[in-house]
Amino acid sequence: MEFKLKTTQFITSAVEPGGYPDPGPPEVAFAGRSNVGKSSLINCLTRRKKLVKVSQTPGRTQQINFFDLNQGELYLVDLPGYGFAKVPKVMKASWKQMVESYLETRSTLRAVVVILDIRREPTGDDIMLLDYLKARGIPVIICVTKADKFSNNKRISRLAKLKPVLTPYDPGFVPVSALNAMGWETTWRRIWEMSGLAGADAEM
Ligand code: GDP
């Protein structure tokens, strides 16, 4: 089956399961540290400039945002960013509770896209999330973003360094850039496949 992105629409924001839209189509969630480039990546994938607001103040979006693609074909879910150093402890606990209840209860969840910054070592928070997803058997797509920040050669050597760290979680981790859309096709193909929506020959 071919998957073509025709429409993208914001559905709702929620802080707890009671506020989620009814489960229906397969769902793919996006998670990452505050300021990692999650909003930019979702906007890039959906070819929408302002579907998700690019953050001015890191750590502020503390809601789960649901987006509908093609009127009921696939839901994209923007999870709140984590790991912002200045966030008070109580906010960290509320993030954990909010995200864990989503990950634990959402029956239609097919995969989580975990976004990392190519210039930084994965943090303890990143690894904790990856371990958590692995332990729960939730499929992971790792997108290593801001890949445009490096020249080709530097990027290749950086990715080689990240390989042993990331392979245990996702051997197919994808270098991406919201700036020049690098990795766009591969990321979509993996999302479709994990959602059971399309084969490798799909077009957008
Ligand atoms: P979020 O907090 O994870 O949603 O991060 P944002 O999408 O708001 O991005 C944080 C900052 O990184 C913004 O200044 C973006 O313009 C910048 N950014 C995001 N993605 C990329 C990318 O792929 N390449 C470059 N060069 N900058 C990016």
Side-chain angles (χ1 to χ4, degrees), residues 20-36:
Y20 302 168
D22 288 340
E27 213 160 274
V28 173
F30 289 71
R33 251 169 17 93
S34 298
N35 220 33
V36 72

Side-chain angles (χ1 to χ4, degrees), residues 1 26 110 190-199:
M1 189 173 118
R110 294 290 172 268
R190 296 191 68 199
I191 291 174
W192 302 326
E193 284 171 3
M194 287 182 180
S195 308
L197 286 172

Side-chain angles (χ1 to χ4, degrees), residues 32-41 43 52-56 58-59 61 78 81 119 145-149 176-180:
R33 251 169 17 93
S34 298
N35 220 33
V36 72
K38 178 164 52 68
S39 313
S40 304
L41 181 64
N43 289 337
V52 186
K53 213 174 160 198
V54 172
S55 50
Q56 304 297 326
T61 344
D78 181 19
R119 299 166 301 173
T145 196
K146 306 191 185 178
D148 58 274
K149 295 271 190 187
V176 302
S177 163
L179 217 69
N180 63 21

Side-chain angles (χ1 to χ4, degrees), residues 41-182:
L41 181 64
I42 296 172
N43 289 337
C44 171
L45 286 170
T46 55
R47 290 189 171 133
R48 291 273 297 269
K49 280 207 180 87
K50 291 181 191 164
L51 186 69
V52 186
K53 213 174 160 198
V54 172
S55 50
Q56 304 297 326
T57 315
R60 269 196 63 190
T61 344
Q62 290 293 325
Q63 287 191 325
I64 301 176
N65 298 307
F66 292 82
F67 301 94
D68 167 87
L69 303 193
N70 295 353
Q71 302 185 322
E73 217 166 351
L74 176 71
Y75 285 173
L76 295 188
V77 180
D78 181 19
L79 298 172
Y82 54 82
F84 183 54
K86 285 181 190 148
V87 166
K89 245 191 177 158
V90 53
M91 227 168 123
K92 284 187 187 167
S94 87
W95 180 91
K96 195 169 182 295
Q97 215 245 326
M98 198 189 312
V99 171
E100 282 184 2
S101 39
Y102 171 80
L103 295 172
E104 281 165 23
T105 63
R106 198 62 171 165
S107 57
T108 46
L109 178 66
R110 294 290 172 268
V112 177
V113 178
V114 176
I115 302 150
L116 303 172
D117 186 324
I118 193 164
R119 299 166 301 173
R120 307 194 194 289
E121 289 307 310
T123 63
D125 288 328
D126 294 324
I127 298 297
M128 218 151 63
L129 174 66
L130 289 166
D131 281 336
Y132 175 91
L133 295 168
K134 197 175 179 185
R136 299 211 139 246
I138 299 171
V140 166
I141 301 170
I142 296 179
C143 284
V144 184
T145 196
K146 306 191 185 178
D148 58 274
K149 295 271 190 187
F150 286 147
S151 67
N152 281 351
N153 281 345
K154 269 199 166 166
R155 187 167 59 244
I156 290 164
S157 64
R158 180 67 190 139
L159 292 169
K161 266 200 160 165
L162 285 170
K163 198 173 171 177
V165 184
L166 302 185
T167 297
Y169 302 103
D170 177 14
F173 69 91
V174 197
V176 302
S177 163
L179 217 69
N180 63 21
M182 182 198 298

